[in-house]
Amino acid sequence: MANGGPVCGPISSYSRVRILHLLFEAGRSSGRSELTIAELCEATALHPNTVREHLQRLIEGGYVIPAVEHRTTRGRPRTLYRAATGAAGASSPVARDKAKAAARRGDLLRRMLPDAASGLDTDATYQLDALVEHLEESGFEPVVDTARLTVDLSPCPHAAGRLEDRPILCRVHLGLMQGVLAEAGGPLEATCVQASDAPADCVVQLQERVVHPQERTGDAHGMA
């Protein structure tokens, strides 16, 4: 973060990072992909009201999806929470709306500044619009290299933090970026944070996959 300002958004609180980490891990498991407030409280040792507050912020940002439990027995159904990854059943309407708005603002910028065009196809360009806005809202100043398909976030604002916290922080931040790209729809995926000997270096590697015609998402951007 070049300006040295505070980190904002979903990774501004390490408690929120821990909640997101648990939800991402649940989504990757072969069992349940959703967790309850009680389960999140047990795993984090946070008070239920604190967990609820964090979850509400994450839902409003489009990073977590709530769902009411379907019960076949008597009793009040619980609310279940899952990470918004953009996959089937894990797509957030808030995140989709944010991607559409980012695409519209990106198109306006490209009309005003033709040199800002990336050379990538429309879907990939809209994905980068969504990703850059997500990163800027989180307090970063991303530098995108469309030739190398990298996003440079150096210097990492977490480099001075506790060393033991960084692995989870990096995994969660990568998962958030993957979710933003998936929600926007298109060929780009975030694959990893490049390894570096310098703790302040943070460069995210993207890759372009082959998208089949039935996966094209022009309507999702509201641009079709």
Side-chain angles (χ1 to χ4, degrees), residues 81-97:
Y81 300 89
R82 68 167 53 192
T85 62
S91 179
S92 162
V94 175
R96 292 197 302 273
D97 288 345

Side-chain angles (χ1 to χ4, degrees), residues 20-224:
L20 281 167
H21 176 65
L22 290 166
L23 294 175
F24 278 129
E25 291 301 304
R28 296 186 185 103
S29 71
S30 57
R32 289 175 50 205
S33 59
E34 301 161 318
L35 296 175
T36 65
I37 284 181
E39 289 168 327
L40 291 168
C41 290
E42 182 178 2
T44 61
L46 294 172
H47 190 278
N49 289 343
T50 302
V51 171
R52 288 190 185 93
E53 182 180 343
H54 285 313
L55 286 170
Q56 187 58 37
R57 292 278 300 276
L58 293 169
I59 292 166
E60 291 170 355
Y63 306 111
V64 167
I65 305 164
V68 177
E69 178 185 40
H70 175 69
R71 294 183 70 102
T72 56
T73 58
R74 293 180 62 184
R76 182 179 179 180
R78 301 172 297 178
T79 301
L80 306 175
Y81 300 89
R82 68 167 53 192
T85 62
S91 179
S92 162
V94 175
R96 292 197 302 273
D97 288 345
K98 289 172 72 173
K100 292 177 186 177
R104 288 193 292 270
R105 285 188 286 268
D107 278 343
L108 178 61
L109 174 65
R110 285 181 285 275
R111 285 196 294 271
M112 296 172 59
L113 302 170
D115 290 344
S118 68
L120 297 171
D121 72 14
T122 301
D123 283 347
T125 297
Y126 288 157
Q127 282 183 291
L128 286 180
D129 289 338
L131 181 61
V132 167
E133 287 207 0
H134 158 71
L135 292 168
E136 289 177 343
E137 288 171 0
S138 297
F140 295 92
E141 292 187 355
V143 177
V144 179
D145 186 327
T146 55
R148 294 184 173 87
L149 288 181
T150 58
V151 183
D152 191 340
L153 302 175
S154 306
C156 173
H158 303 289
R162 297 198 312 170
L163 187 62
E164 60 268 32
D165 293 342
R166 293 195 69 198
I168 288 180
L169 240 168
C170 289
R171 286 199 295 274
V172 167
H173 198 199
L174 180 62
L176 289 169
M177 288 187 280
Q178 290 168 335
V180 168
L181 291 170
E183 292 281 11
L188 296 182
E189 300 173 324
T191 59
C192 67
V193 177
Q194 294 180 2
S196 173
D197 292 332
D201 286 352
C202 181
V203 179
V204 179
Q205 183 67 56
L206 309 178
Q207 72 176 16
E208 191 169 5
R209 65 183 177 87
V210 176
V211 178
H212 300 291
Q214 62 269 28
E215 296 181 77
R216 289 291 175 184
T217 54
D219 288 338
H221 302 122
M223 301 291 158

